[in-house]
Amino acid sequence: MSALITCEGVSVRFANEAVLEQVNLTVSEGEVVTLIGPNGSGKTTLIHVLMGLLKPNLGSVWRAPDLHIGYVPQKLAVDYTMPLSVARFLSLGSGTAKKFTDVVHTVGIEKLLNRQIHHVSGGEMQRILLARALLKQPSLMVLDEPAQGVDFQGQSELYHLIGEIKNAWNCAVLMVSHDLHFVMSATDRVICLNHHVCCSGQPESVALHPEYQRLFGSSKHNFAIYNHHHDHHHDLHGNVIGPKP
Amino acid sequence: MMEWSLDHFLVRALMGGLLIAVTAAPIGCFIVWRRMAYFGETLSHSALLGLALGFLLGIQPVLGVLAVGVAAGGVLIAMQRRRQLATDTLLGIIAHGSLALGLVVLSSQETLRIDLFAYLFGDILTVGKQDLAVIALGSLVSLGVLLFLWRPLLLMTISEELAAVEGVNRTLVTLLFTFLVALTVALSMKAVGILLVTSLLIIPSAAARKLSRTPEMMVVGAVIFAALSICGGLGAGLLWDLAAGPSIVVVATALFAVTYLVPGRV
């Protein structure tokens, strides 16, 4: 598994306030990495640094030379003064007609194409943004809180869809999420960020980490949905420490 | 029977007006989408300073207006980056500071006799062959740059963040767009005058909004409404001996009112 994107010792300051301190992160081919952290902990700043939108004050970022990033922003509010159909919005990106049909079918937005983009719901908008990112034939999908403003049922479907896309299109995924209970089962690695990397590793180990519990509490219901069978244990760093007895 | 040659003042007025309509309407759409009406207003206020400097230096007034417009836009962008004052405050300072400076410079030139009224409200009926050549060249440049800028500018208008991820050079696009607005102001000044330039940018675009489903449809609609306004304004001006510039804006406003008030799809 070769690395797609790597940052080392990244520090960012806004007006003398440290937003990121000494952050190291690597996303490799086919991997799903989830960034969690409280509001204002620097998650969006970190993905902006990784995508090259923001130069860090310190540290370095490396991106694979042929890296195609498909980006799904937190939200997209198109000004109502601009008439814009969903189809025209998608065609502003790239991709062939065949690709277009495939993508539209995958995310299930056939019926939305002629709709004005101001008239779609939060969940529909996230699917449209996913489609736009997929049209770029990404080797890495970057999603910034993809389920924001989506209802409970919709969130579950959306994360399911992201998982399907990851498998079918064979791309790596880096996402920011508050909903650890939703993303747990689909995530290879969780990175808990609070200006610095508090802890990282496989989902269960992060959920048990004292730093994580200090930030998010250790409420039992967090564990309710993502429970799944594992045939091995992890230590606090996410290393596998042998099969289940 | 009228002769359709460039020797006839009405033919020159009509050609100049239509060229301005085709140039101003697409820029006007972006001004409406990006909520920059006051920016257009500011560049047109600064035009008086451009005129004054043009006379002082003995260069084409259009070039003076274009240069001051681009400078005003540059000053605005630089001041916005410092994040101390809101954009509308900065625009107010630049608009009125440059307007006042322009009036001071003009009034200091005792030997200068210019028809201020013509620059404030336009004098499209006096468009000469040289004016027409300047307008044609300016329109060609403007449409060329816009064609090159279309996709990145549209993407940036929809989402700055998406545009940045997709590698759009936002600084370059912003600067070129500022240049386009300044150029449009410099060209449109002849038709409707400094005080009414913004109207030619935003009213036809606003009229086309309701009838459009894509950005491109809105631009085509805006061009049609702008062209109708020019024809209607010139016609009314001739028929009833009215000032042509304001008549053009009155026709544009009436067209807007019709599309706005007639019920229909959005």
Side-chain angles (χ1 to χ4, degrees):
Chain A
M1 234 175 25
S2 63
L4 291 174
I5 199 162
T6 293
C7 73
E8 270 174 26
V10 161
S11 298
V12 173
R13 308 183 73 82
F14 289 149
N16 280 330
E17 197 182 327
V19 179
L20 293 176
E21 283 178 287
Q22 291 292 322
V23 174
N24 300 324
L25 177 71
T26 297
V27 181
S28 302
E29 275 172 17
E31 195 182 24
V32 180
V33 176
T34 301
L35 268 178
I36 57 169
N39 284 328
S41 60
K43 303 183 296 289
T44 299
T45 305
L46 179 57
I47 60 173
H48 279 184
V49 168
L50 287 167
M51 291 190 298
L53 298 192
L54 188 70
K55 276 209 162 60
N57 298 80
L58 283 174
S60 62
V61 180
W62 176 87
R63 284 180 286 275
D66 57 345
L67 183 66
H68 284 250
I69 295 179
Y71 176 54
V72 177
Q74 225 173 70
K75 55 174 185 271
L76 182 79
V78 178
D79 200 295
Y80 60 79
T81 56
M82 184 193 283
L84 188 63
S85 63
V86 172
R88 180 68 187 111
F89 173 67
L90 290 176
S91 67
L92 260 179
S94 41
T96 60
K98 161 93 170 66
K99 186 91 185 161
F100 189 88
T101 320
D102 277 0
V103 167
V104 165
H105 181 71
T106 305
V107 301
I109 54 168
E110 293 94 336
K111 286 183 180 154
L112 299 178
L113 289 177
N114 286 320
R115 197 97 66 85
Q116 285 287 295
I117 206 159
H118 321 88
H119 299 160
V120 302
S121 71
E124 288 167 341
M125 181 57 114
Q126 291 313 107
R127 283 169 183 267
I128 293 164
L129 290 171
L130 263 179
R132 191 168 195 290
L134 273 179
L135 283 170
K136 300 206 82 71
Q137 296 195 264
S139 38
L140 172 65
M141 293 273 280
V142 177
L143 306 106
D144 192 353
E145 298 197 33
Q148 220 192 28
V150 179
D151 65 31
F152 194 78
Q153 177 65 30
Q155 288 190 14
S156 159
E157 284 172 17
L158 195 65
Y159 283 119
H160 186 71
L161 178 62
I162 292 168
E164 277 181 358
I165 286 172
K166 185 242 161 192
N167 291 329
W169 300 67
N170 195 26
C171 56
V173 175
L174 171 64
M175 65 181 155
V176 171
S177 177
H178 283 302
D179 322 299
L180 192 54
H181 51 292
F182 272 125
V183 300
M184 274 292 196
S185 60
T187 297
D188 297 316
R189 202 147 51 83
V190 174
I191 290 159
C192 177
L193 189 75
N194 192 16
H195 304 299
H196 62 282
V197 175
C198 294
C199 50
S200 69
Q202 277 157 338
E204 275 81 357
S205 64
V206 168
L208 293 171
H209 195 283
E211 281 271 13
Y212 174 82
Q213 296 195 345
R214 193 174 59 75
L215 285 171
F216 292 97
S218 56
S219 138
K220 278 277 181 283
H221 83 262
N222 261 356
F223 295 81
I225 293 177
Y226 64 79
N227 251 343
H228 58 289
H229 296 293
H230 249 209
D231 60 353
H232 54 269
H233 284 302
H234 305 283
D235 66 12
L236 289 181
H237 303 289
N239 300 319
V240 177
I241 51 171
K244 213 170 190 164
Chain B
M1 186 67 198
M2 201 178 107
E3 280 277 334
W4 281 99
S5 93
L6 285 182
D7 292 327
H8 197 290
F9 78 97
L10 194 57
V11 173
R12 291 195 303 269
L14 198 60
M15 283 188 65
L18 291 178
L19 280 170
I20 289 169
V22 173
T23 312
I27 305 294
C29 286
F30 277 104
I31 287 191
V32 167
W33 296 331
R34 297 169 73 88
R35 307 194 166 205
M36 291 170 73
Y38 200 23
F39 177 73
E41 198 71 28
T42 299
L43 290 200
S44 54
H45 277 61
S46 79
L48 201 70
L49 179 60
L51 277 178
L53 291 180
F55 287 121
L56 214 60
L57 302 173
I59 54 171
Q60 267 278 338
V62 169
L63 288 180
V65 172
L66 181 60
V68 171
V70 168
V75 167
L76 175 72
I77 292 169
M79 287 173 86
Q80 277 175 325
R81 291 207 167 159
R82 300 195 58 173
R83 292 179 178 280
Q84 280 176 2
L85 290 165
T87 299
D88 62 332
T89 305
L90 296 176
L91 285 171
I93 294 168
I94 298 171
H96 298 108
S98 58
L99 178 64
L101 188 59
L103 287 168
V104 165
V105 172
L106 280 178
S107 67
S108 73
Q109 300 296 301
E110 282 178 16
T111 55
L112 190 63
R113 288 276 170 270
I114 66 159
D115 183 3
L116 199 57
F117 198 78
Y119 284 106
L120 290 180
F121 299 103
D123 57 345
I124 193 165
L125 295 175
T126 66
V127 167
K129 283 186 183 167
Q130 202 198 347
D131 294 324
L132 198 58
V134 169
I135 292 173
L137 184 67
S139 298
L140 209 63
V141 170
S142 176
L143 290 174
V145 174
L146 190 64
L147 210 61
F148 163 74
L149 223 54
W150 184 258
R151 199 185 154 275
L153 185 59
L154 199 56
L155 192 54
M156 250 177 85
T157 305
I158 292 169
S159 162
E160 289 262 342
E161 205 186 6
L162 271 183
V165 173
E166 293 179 15
V168 172
N169 183 337
R170 286 174 296 166
T171 312
L172 180 68
V173 172
T174 307
L175 285 176
L176 280 176
F177 182 65
T178 304
F179 166 78
L180 285 183
V181 178
L183 181 61
T184 309
V185 167
L187 297 178
S188 314
M189 200 173 63
K190 192 71 184 167
V192 292
I194 289 169
L195 287 183
L196 294 173
V197 162
T198 313
S199 61
L200 204 56
L201 288 168
I202 64 174
I203 299 176
S205 319
R209 166 63 183 99
K210 198 170 133 186
L211 309 173
S212 323
R213 297 185 54 78
T214 62
E216 290 77 10
M217 277 173 75
M218 182 158 151
V219 167
V220 171
V223 168
I224 292 171
F225 282 124
L228 286 177
S229 309
I230 297 278
C231 295
L234 277 176
L238 281 179
L239 213 57
W240 296 301
D241 195 22
L242 306 169
S247 300
I248 290 170
V249 179
V250 169
V251 173
T253 310
L255 286 172
F256 167 75
V258 170
T259 65
Y260 190 77
L261 294 175
V262 170
R265 64 159 195 212
V266 176

